[in-house]
Amino acid sequence: MVNRPDQRTDNTQIRAFSASQNILNRADGSSKFEFGSTSVICSVSGPMDIQIRDEKLDEATVDIVIRPAKGVPATKEKLMETILRTAFEPIILAGMMPRTLIQVVVQILKDDGCLLAASVNAITLALLDAGIPMKQMAGAITVMIDEKTNDLVLDPTLAELENAKSTHTFAFDNVHEKPFVLLSDSDGVFSEEEYFSCHDLAFEAVEKIHGFLRLAVESKKEKEQQQLNEH
């Protein structure tokens, strides 16, 4: 039996996660997503008018902004923005909204590991909440390889990440039966074999995330339907 810092008893156990949608009044769509203590809020605005110099004639421009919990965005946040934009641009049906802007803002509330994965899940929910058309849903999870034991550890905390030989965040879609990677971000030293072991474990685990995202969307729809029936 493994004893992890947050009372989990297995290396393949995910922390309790939670999500809510439609939490910000001024945004077209919003969400909050948590893995254990890691927590982010995401807002989506758009499609809206865009400055002529930034507009694309045949599709919407997708802009992703990451705001740290404290201080101003640094290189780490800028890198996250690029990774997330590369993952979400192909999913959003931007051709349906030419010459507009879709702005996604992720506010980090607390980072206790797996921030990139939490951000992917939050963005997916906020885009759905805003009614932005998408080809598929992205669900993400992080796996690390322990430096001492070489064990694969799913959804590591910040304390566990201190002992990581490498970390791997994957986002998969919910449409293909076989793994279809939307995002793959790896850091550290690892072999090809280790990379694919992490990939396979992440793909197994992401099913729970996809199921959870689906439930979150369905329960929101049910609530909206109830409100319509009451009026």
Side-chain angles (χ1 to χ4, degrees), residues 21 125 128 137 174 210-226:
Q21 284 176 287
L125 283 172
L128 288 165
M137 284 198 313
N174 65 325
H210 278 142
F212 180 74
L213 295 177
R214 254 194 311 275
L215 269 177
V217 174
E218 280 165 15
S219 65
K220 179 185 169 260
K221 275 186 184 162
E222 276 171 27
K223 269 185 203 159
E224 284 171 355
Q225 196 58 50
Q226 278 171 354

Side-chain angles (χ1 to χ4, degrees), residues 164-204:
K165 183 172 83 166
S166 66
T167 56
H168 311 264
T169 299
F170 295 95
F172 298 97
D173 79 345
N174 65 325
V175 177
H176 297 80
E177 281 181 23
K178 289 187 174 162
F180 186 81
V181 177
L182 299 167
L183 178 154
S184 168
D185 182 61
S186 297
D187 191 24
V189 182
F190 52 92
S191 66
E192 193 179 333
E193 194 182 327
E194 286 174 326
Y195 172 84
F196 281 107
S197 298
C198 292
H199 167 280
D200 295 348
L201 179 60
F203 182 63
E204 266 175 55

Side-chain angles (χ1 to χ4, degrees), residues 25-98:
N25 294 336
R26 289 188 171 180
D28 293 309
S30 55
S31 71
K32 183 179 186 182
F33 190 91
E34 296 175 318
F35 273 130
S37 305
T38 295
S39 178
V40 298
I41 282 183
C42 177
S43 71
V44 171
S45 303
M48 56 188 180
D49 292 338
I50 186 170
Q51 289 183 328
I52 290 173
R53 65 184 169 84
D54 295 326
E55 78 174 15
K56 295 179 184 174
L57 295 178
D58 54 350
E59 61 178 13
T61 300
V62 179
D63 181 35
I64 295 185
V65 179
I66 304 288
R67 293 195 176 138
K70 290 180 191 146
V72 293
T75 314
K76 182 186 163 192
E77 284 79 28
K78 294 289 167 204
L79 184 62
M80 259 180 85
E81 288 172 2
T82 306
I83 293 165
L84 289 164
R85 194 166 48 247
T86 309
F88 278 96
E89 270 180 344
I91 306 175
I92 294 169
L93 293 165
M96 293 171 71
M97 304 160 282

Side-chain angles (χ1 to χ4, degrees), residues 138-165:
I141 194 92
T142 301
V143 183
M144 78 167 220
I145 301 175
D146 191 286
E147 198 168 27
K148 295 181 186 125
T149 60
N150 256 3
D151 288 341
L152 303 189
V153 179
L154 197 60
D155 185 29
T157 61
L158 221 47
E160 289 175 311
L161 285 164
E162 286 174 15
N163 305 316
K165 183 172 83 166

